[in-house]
């Protein structure tokens, strides 16, 4: 018995440590802090180079065609768990995938209405809309999804979440109203990438480990922007000398939002219902265990003892990667392109930003009217507010405020928002809009007074 326990402990520790090192330990590479999974993704992305755009085109095309076929529920799809999970979608999401296929082919082929720069086809395919989504977003996401999808079972399947959950439930539950195991999602997002956090959360929700309410809180509150992308945003507004203070403020805003948002609608209205019953961990340490460490180790050993080896690891990894490739990439292409089309070619976000002018004036933000234009456009893409600020705002204080707010708004449709909508997470579009506005207001109330102290 003791020998079996030692064997299972080793099976828990070795894969879990490898997973933590790959996904959660920051390393300095090329002068920047990042994680090994991101380095590996960048290396493979560089090696594949020009192949990535056509790979994305093929993935989005296969997704659309197979999803249309799946509407008739053919036996070969319905009898395959991976094919069914990947391609079986509601008619609305099938339309989204078909639109994604249309957008990506138009963009890849460079189709436009002659030389007319005002034509709709040109607007779709230009670098600020479809071109940005295909060449700057999808070509990065396609590699991250493949590598992270295949390697995520190291964090998910060998007891690490059970162990962390037992240790941290007493902290995470009272503060953020979520289980202790969510700490892994949080750290992976903050250090690595928000999309990885969403992938983890989807997996845990579909497995029955998170309730609808918990999964909604984690995906919309803890799938934070990575350190790497935060640097990109600050560099865009030319304020890199403030990075230390900038990131401290981001962390502060993130924690405050994580405390407040689960306690107000729409997140407070979510139900504690589970897709799979009986998987959630108890909230307290059972009396037969000495402490939470002892309890966590026992849970981890039980989980790893049920693992069926390399075959299960590979199957779970492929399922993760396929879901993200064929389910999420088409959504990002569609939602991202439409959002950027509206941002670049209509005054809609200028108009929607006007209600923020009185608040910005109250908070004594210089160039409040210009700053207001960046407030809502962040819902489409996180980098766009920083681009607008760098081109149209002269005040360093205001550019700092925009840089912080654009990162802490978190729910932008071209990536994290699109992932959430494309997943099985129980979050509706209108709820994302409300959460985005709530995060924006909370961010401004915190960052503006601090910015006055800094500048």
């Amino acid at each position: 018995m003791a020998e079996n326990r030692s064997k299972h402990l080793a099976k828990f520790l070795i894969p879990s440590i490898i997973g933590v090192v790959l996904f959660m330990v920051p390393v300095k590479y090329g002068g920047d802090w990042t994680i090994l999974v991101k380095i590996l993704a960048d290396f493979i992305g560089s090696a594949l180079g020009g192949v990535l755009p056509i790979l994305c085109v093929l993935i989005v095309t296969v997704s659309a065609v197979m999803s249309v076929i799946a509407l008739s529920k053919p036996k070969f799809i319905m009898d395959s768990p991976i094919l069914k999970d990947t391609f079986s979608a509601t008619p609305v999401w099938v339309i989204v995938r078909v639109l994604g296929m249309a957008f990506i082919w138009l963009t890849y082929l460079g189709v436009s209405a002659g030389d007319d720069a005002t034509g709709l086809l040109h607007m779709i395919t230009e670098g600020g809309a479809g071109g940005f989504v295909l060449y700057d977003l999808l070509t990065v996401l396609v590699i991250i999804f493949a590598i992270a999808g295949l390697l995520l079972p190291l964090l998910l399947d060998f007891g690490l979440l059970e162990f962390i959950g037992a240790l941290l439930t007493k902290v995470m539950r009272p503060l953020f109203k979520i289980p202790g195991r969510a700490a892994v999602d949080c750290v992976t997002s903050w250090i690595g990438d928000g999309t990885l956090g969403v992938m983890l959360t989807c997996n845990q929700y579909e497995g029955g480990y998170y309730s609808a309410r918990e999964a909604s809180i984690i995906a919309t509150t803890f799938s934070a922007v990575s350190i790497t992308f935060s640097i990109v945003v600050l560099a865009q507004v030319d304020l890199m000398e403030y990075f230390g203070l900038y990131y401290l403020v981001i962390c502060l805003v993130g924690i405050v939002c994580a405390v407040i948002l689960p306690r107000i609608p729409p997140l407070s209205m979510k139900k504690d219902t589970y897709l799979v019953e009986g998987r959630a961990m108890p909230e307290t340490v059972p009396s037969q265990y000495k402490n939470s460490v002892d309890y966590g180790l026992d849970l981890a050993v039980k989980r790893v003892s049920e693992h069926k080896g390399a075959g299960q690891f590979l199957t779970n990894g492929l399922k993760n990667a396929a879901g993200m490739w064929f389910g999420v990439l088409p959504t990002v292409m569609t939602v991202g392109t439409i959002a950027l089309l509206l941002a670049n070619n209509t005054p809609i976000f200028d108009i929607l930003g006007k209600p923020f002018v009185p608040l910005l004036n109250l908070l004594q933000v210089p160039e409040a009217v210009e700053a207001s234009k960046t407030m809502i456009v962040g819902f489409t893409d996180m980098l766009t507010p920083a681009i607008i600020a760098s081109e149209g705002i002269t005040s360093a204080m205001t550019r700092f405020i925009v840089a912080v707010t654009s990162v802490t708004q978190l729910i932008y449709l071209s990536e994290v928002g699109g992932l959430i909508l494309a997943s099985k997470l129980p979050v509706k579009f209108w709820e994302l809009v409300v959460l985005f506005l709530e995060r924006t207001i909370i961010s401004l109330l915190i960052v503006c007074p601090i910015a006055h102290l800094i500048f």
Side-chain angles (χ1 to χ4, degrees):
M1 187 73 180
E3 187 182 335
N4 261 349
R5 184 173 173 83
S6 298
K7 182 181 172 184
H8 289 322
L9 271 174
K11 284 174 71 177
F12 151 57
L13 286 171
I14 293 168
S16 297
I17 289 169
I18 294 170
V20 168
V21 169
L22 286 172
F23 282 93
M24 298 168 66
V25 175
V27 294
K28 199 158 191 178
Y29 181 77
D32 295 321
W33 287 99
T34 184
I35 54 171
L36 289 175
V37 163
K38 187 69 168 61
I39 294 171
L40 186 58
D42 289 344
F43 176 77
I44 293 173
S46 299
L48 292 176
V51 176
L52 293 178
I54 188 62
L55 175 62
C56 294
V57 170
L58 292 174
I59 289 168
V60 173
T61 303
V62 169
S63 173
V65 172
M66 289 292 287
S67 297
V68 170
I69 293 171
L71 286 173
S72 62
K73 301 189 185 304
K75 196 170 186 299
F76 80 96
I77 289 179
M78 293 298 110
D79 289 351
S80 166
I82 290 182
L83 290 180
K84 184 180 178 183
D85 282 350
T86 304
F87 299 115
S88 183
T90 63
V92 171
W93 286 111
V94 173
I95 291 169
V96 168
R97 293 179 183 187
V98 171
L99 267 177
M101 179 177 70
F103 288 161
I104 204 166
W105 273 108
L106 287 171
T107 303
Y108 183 72
L109 296 174
V111 176
S112 63
D115 295 325
D116 181 10
T118 62
L120 179 60
L121 289 178
H122 178 81
M123 290 177 190
I124 290 171
T125 60
E126 69 174 341
F132 174 79
V133 178
L134 172 56
Y135 295 105
D136 292 287
L137 276 180
L138 296 197
T139 52
V140 175
L141 291 178
V142 70
I143 299 297
I144 288 179
F145 286 170
I147 295 170
L150 291 170
L151 297 177
L152 269 179
L154 292 168
L155 293 179
L156 298 172
D157 294 353
F158 295 94
L160 177 67
L161 295 184
E162 283 73 12
F163 180 69
I164 296 291
L167 293 184
L168 293 181
T169 292
K170 289 181 180 178
V171 177
M172 301 293 283
R173 181 64 67 184
L175 270 181
F176 309 121
K177 296 186 171 292
I178 54 176
R181 67 194 293 129
V184 176
D185 304 51
C186 307
V187 174
T188 301
S189 290
W190 280 91
I191 296 173
D193 189 272
T195 56
L196 300 179
V198 174
M199 287 173 72
L200 267 170
T201 305
C202 290
N203 191 292
Q204 294 296 284
Y205 174 62
E206 290 173 28
Y209 299 101
Y210 294 153
S211 69
R213 183 183 58 79
E214 291 164 352
S216 301
I217 291 170
I218 296 161
T220 59
T221 307
F222 289 103
S223 298
V225 175
S226 69
I227 294 173
T228 307
F229 215 98
S230 300
I231 293 170
V232 171
V233 170
L234 194 63
Q236 182 67 44
V237 296
D238 196 24
L239 291 171
M240 277 304 294
E241 65 270 27
Y242 293 99
F243 181 75
L245 287 168
Y246 165 74
Y247 204 71
L248 282 174
V249 175
I250 289 171
C251 292
L252 174 63
V253 173
I255 291 167
V256 173
C257 286
V259 171
I260 294 173
L261 292 178
R263 292 168 168 81
I264 61 175
L267 292 179
S268 64
M269 298 166 66
K270 296 287 182 184
K271 305 294 184 188
D272 274 313
T273 53
Y274 292 84
L275 283 183
V276 181
E277 295 292 339
R279 297 276 183 86
M281 288 172 57
E283 293 301 310
T284 55
V285 177
S287 57
Q288 67 265 37
Y289 296 99
K290 297 175 190 174
N291 51 48
S292 56
V293 175
D294 188 37
Y295 177 46
L297 282 173
D298 194 53
L299 286 175
V301 165
K302 282 178 182 172
R303 177 66 190 272
V304 82
S305 67
E306 296 167 0
H307 199 269
K308 297 184 175 72
Q312 184 182 344
F313 179 90
L314 188 61
T315 300
N316 289 346
L318 287 171
K319 190 175 176 183
N320 290 336
M324 299 305 285
W325 265 22
F326 297 104
V328 175
L329 287 181
T331 304
V332 173
M333 187 68 213
T334 303
V335 174
T337 301
I338 292 172
L340 290 173
L341 270 175
L342 292 172
N344 296 338
N345 302 288
T346 74
I348 185 168
F349 292 108
D350 292 358
I351 295 166
L352 292 174
K354 282 185 178 176
F356 282 92
V357 174
L359 176 61
L360 292 167
N361 280 327
L362 181 66
L363 294 168
Q364 298 181 338
V365 176
E367 300 176 74
V369 174
E370 289 301 315
S372 71
K373 296 177 182 178
T374 71
M375 292 297 112
I376 301 297
V377 76
F379 191 53
T380 65
D381 174 69
M382 184 184 59
L383 195 54
T384 307
I387 293 169
I388 293 171
S390 66
E391 293 174 351
I393 296 175
T394 57
S395 166
M397 179 197 295
T398 307
R399 282 185 277 125
F400 181 87
I401 290 168
V402 170
V404 171
T405 306
S406 67
V407 171
T408 54
Q409 285 171 325
L410 191 62
I411 304 164
Y412 46 101
L413 290 179
S414 63
E415 196 174 298
V416 170
L419 305 190
I420 291 170
L421 291 174
S423 72
K424 294 181 181 177
L425 292 171
V427 184
K428 299 181 177 68
F429 178 79
W430 73 265
E431 291 171 327
L432 284 184
V433 173
V434 173
L435 286 164
F436 175 85
L437 293 173
E438 289 173 345
R439 293 190 69 91
T440 303
I441 293 166
I442 292 169
S443 298
L444 288 172
L445 292 174
I446 296 171
V447 69
C448 291
I450 294 173
H452 279 287
L453 295 175
I454 296 171
F455 293 92

